[in-house]
Amino acid sequence: MAKPVLYYFNSRGRMESIRWLLAAAGVEFEENLVKTQKDMKKLIKDGSLMFQQVPMVEIDGMKLVQTRAILNYIATKYNLYGKDVKERALIDMYSEGVADLNEIILHYPFLPPGDKDGSLTQIKEKSRNRYFPAFEKVLKSHGQDYLVGNRLSKADIHLTELLYHTEELDPSVLANFPLLKALKTRISNLPTVKKFLQPGSQRKPFEDEKFVEELKKSFG
Amino acid sequence: MAARPKLHYPNGRGRMESVRWVLAAAGVEFDEEFLETKEQLHKLQDGNHLLFQQVPMVEIDGMKLVQTRSILHYIAEKHQLFGKDLKERTLIDMYVEGTLDLLELLIMHPFLKPDDQQKEVVNMAQKAIIRYFPVFEKILRGHGQNFLVGNQLSLADVILLQTILALEEKIPNILSAFPFLQEYTVKLSNFPTIKRFLEPGSKKKPPPDEIYVRTVYNIFMP
């Protein structure tokens, strides 16, 4: 069976959650990096991008676009989407909460310098006061190892990824969230995730100023 | 017998309108509790009814569902509006996500500075005509059916119709270059449950006005 091929820029952005999910599911994938404006124009001209945007993932004979559609397909295929419609609703709710906070985080490296402080304050405030308390409470309510249905789902993977990314910006953020810390450790120790967390994997690096500078320069 | 779903949101379109559309299209009667004051929002938050302290929130089947997409997916799946298999579901997902990107511009529009609002109408029109409508026109022309996916009504049709009609309110001739979408819009508007929703007296909300914008600011601004 052909490996999925991911089309995106050489950065985390909207593709990183897809990389995490495929990796966690133990699915090997290839990447076709969009490095220049020319690369992007060619993809559009070829008709490969339904709404002229990336992420795009070639998988099972389809050219899937739209991050959520891609994630939902992968999750369903690899049994990471719960056992029934009610579990799916919970997984969806938790994943959407993660996506809302992630939306602020993924834009952060690309903001003009003057806007960064405000955004970082917002990230710290929202993670500590809105999102992390909600997830800590979910874990406390059932005392299980995973967010939904006592079984690994996309919600656990997305949340773990978020915890890593938030810690990069706010190292002490998990201090008051022992259950989230435990979830992060547990998920990180799953063999597939452990492998993905090691150097040399397809995980994209933290986007510091130098990285962003070089990315912008090469894209043109 | 299950209780009717109950929607918690201000009395206006915003992010809840898609939920109203889907429930109506599925023939599901629902109740609404309109948020009018900051105090009401705090009551919901302090009572732990809102997972992330936000609305929309829908009480349905013993759950307090939040996050628009979760609510839409749950209703769609429950009422056979999400395709017959994974491949159809994935197509529906892609089409819905694209359309929601366009609808987002409409949702945010009333909250832009007045000077920016006219410019944004031009932007919406361009995105609709260049990026989104050609995709759906091609799909409809390709299979010649009355629905986007699997020859039956799905979430994708409901969200697209909602978006087209909302755009037509601002740009009346927006479908002029898209004959298949024009026919599709007419046919879908006559689908019995949708037709009822489009008639006066339904729970469909009017276009956002100054009162709605002021109410939203009063409730949500710190």
Side-chain angles (χ1 to χ4, degrees):
Chain A
M1 178 165 264
K3 291 184 195 173
V5 183
L6 278 49
Y7 291 76
Y8 199 68
F9 315 111
N10 189 16
S11 65
R12 288 180 176 176
R14 297 185 185 291
M15 188 61 98
E16 194 70 355
S17 55
I18 294 168
R19 296 181 183 110
W20 267 81
L21 192 62
L22 283 169
V27 179
E28 293 197 16
F29 57 90
E30 283 164 15
E31 299 202 74
N32 194 314
L33 295 175
V34 177
K35 292 198 168 126
T36 63
Q37 293 261 18
K38 206 164 143 217
D39 290 340
M40 190 67 187
K41 287 196 169 122
K42 182 165 189 295
L43 273 177
I44 293 174
K45 192 150 171 270
D46 288 346
S48 301
L49 308 178
M50 180 176 286
F51 301 115
Q52 298 155 19
Q53 298 164 312
V54 288
M56 188 271 276
V57 174
E58 278 178 336
I59 185 168
D60 299 336
M62 299 177 290
K63 288 184 165 69
L64 294 187
V65 297
Q66 291 291 338
T67 312
R68 287 169 172 91
I70 298 166
L71 290 171
N72 293 347
Y73 180 79
I74 295 166
T76 305
K77 192 177 172 191
Y78 295 101
N79 293 311
L80 292 168
Y81 215 168
K83 73 177 198 296
D84 58 32
V85 67
K86 279 204 168 180
E87 284 196 353
R88 262 193 292 289
L90 292 177
I91 291 168
D92 266 347
M93 272 204 296
Y94 303 158
S95 302
E96 286 297 302
V98 168
D100 278 354
L101 181 56
N102 191 49
E103 188 72 13
I104 311 174
I105 290 174
L106 74 84
H107 281 115
Y108 173 80
F110 302 95
L111 293 175
D115 291 347
K116 275 191 156 168
D117 277 345
S119 180
L120 185 56
T121 303
Q122 201 189 24
I123 291 167
K124 287 183 175 178
E125 196 270 323
K126 288 216 153 115
S127 51
R128 287 159 186 263
N129 297 335
R130 172 174 288 184
Y131 293 103
F132 291 4
F135 294 121
E136 183 82 3
K137 194 171 169 203
V138 169
L139 290 169
K140 190 165 188 199
S141 73
H142 55 51
Q144 290 167 2
D145 284 353
Y146 304 103
L147 284 166
V148 180
N150 208 13
R151 187 169 100 120
L152 182 70
S153 76
K154 71 193 284 286
D156 303 294
I157 309 298
H158 299 328
L159 179 55
T160 302
E161 179 194 353
L162 181 72
L163 297 178
Y164 271 100
H165 291 176
T166 317
E167 265 188 335
E168 279 170 347
L169 297 173
D170 182 9
S172 63
V173 71
L174 288 184
N176 295 326
F177 302 104
L179 296 178
L180 286 183
K181 246 199 264 185
L183 178 79
K184 182 175 171 252
T185 305
R186 226 171 9 251
I187 302 299
S188 302
N189 282 325
L190 294 173
T192 49
V193 179
K194 196 169 191 173
K195 198 165 149 216
F196 186 61
L197 288 168
Q198 271 153 21
S201 81
Q202 283 158 305
R203 201 174 157 224
K204 292 283 172 269
F206 176 64
E207 289 146 344
D208 58 21
E209 276 163 27
K210 184 159 166 268
F211 179 94
V212 172
E213 184 85 35
E214 280 175 23
L215 195 71
K216 284 183 175 170
K217 216 189 302 170
S218 65
F219 196 75
Chain B
M1 165 105 134
R4 289 152 58 125
K6 192 182 210 182
L7 279 50
H8 294 262
Y9 203 72
N11 186 6
R13 290 182 181 177
R15 298 187 184 291
M16 189 62 100
E17 193 70 352
S18 302
V19 177
R20 297 181 184 109
W21 266 89
V22 176
L23 283 169
V28 177
E29 300 215 7
F30 56 90
D31 297 319
E32 301 198 80
E33 196 160 291
F34 294 123
L35 270 182
E36 277 152 359
T37 65
K38 210 191 280 290
E39 289 67 44
Q40 280 174 289
L41 176 66
H42 288 164
K43 192 157 175 253
L44 280 176
Q45 291 170 332
D46 296 339
N48 294 313
H49 302 292
L50 307 176
L51 181 64
F52 302 117
Q53 318 307 333
Q54 297 164 315
V55 288
M57 187 271 276
V58 176
E59 291 178 87
I60 183 169
D61 299 337
M63 299 180 290
K64 292 186 166 74
L65 286 188
V66 297
Q67 293 288 345
T68 313
R69 284 165 172 91
S70 319
I71 300 165
L72 292 175
H73 286 182
Y74 181 78
I75 297 163
E77 190 163 348
K78 195 179 168 196
H79 296 280
Q80 285 85 50
L81 293 171
F82 223 163
K84 68 175 199 297
D85 57 29
L86 179 57
K87 283 221 164 167
E88 283 197 353
R89 191 191 165 114
T90 302
L91 287 177
I92 292 165
D93 238 351
M94 278 202 291
Y95 302 160
V96 167
E97 287 297 306
T99 312
L100 285 176
D101 279 352
L102 182 55
L103 186 64
E104 184 73 12
L105 302 180
L106 283 154
I107 291 173
M108 296 309 300
H109 183 259
F111 303 98
L112 296 175
K113 289 200 278 263
D115 289 345
D116 292 335
Q117 284 188 0
Q118 188 43 41
K119 219 189 307 161
E120 185 63 5
V121 172
V122 174
N123 178 39
M124 275 180 218
Q126 279 180 345
K127 287 248 152 75
I129 291 167
I130 296 172
R131 177 173 286 184
Y132 296 102
F133 288 176
V135 175
F136 300 120
E137 182 80 0
K138 190 174 172 196
I139 290 163
L140 292 168
R141 194 182 326 127
H143 58 46
Q145 292 166 3
N146 293 334
F147 306 102
L148 285 171
V149 179
N151 209 12
Q152 64 175 14
L153 185 72
S154 78
L155 183 64
D157 300 300
V158 177
I159 304 299
L160 182 57
L161 182 63
Q162 175 196 358
T163 305
I164 287 173
L165 295 181
L167 278 168
E168 275 185 334
E169 283 169 351
K170 292 186 161 12
I171 310 143
N173 63 345
I174 193 141
L175 285 184
S176 56
F178 303 98
F180 280 84
L181 277 174
Q182 284 176 41
E183 196 185 338
Y184 169 81
T185 301
V186 171
K187 287 209 172 118
L188 207 48
S189 300
N190 281 311
F191 191 89
T193 49
I194 294 178
K195 188 172 186 177
R196 217 175 310 139
F197 188 60
L198 291 173
E199 277 160 5
S202 82
K203 293 203 162 91
K204 184 171 181 282
K205 299 291 173 272
D209 59 13
E210 276 173 30
I211 297 174
Y212 172 70
V213 171
R214 214 176 318 132
T215 306
V216 168
Y217 276 125
N218 286 341
I219 297 170
F220 297 105
M221 282 293 115

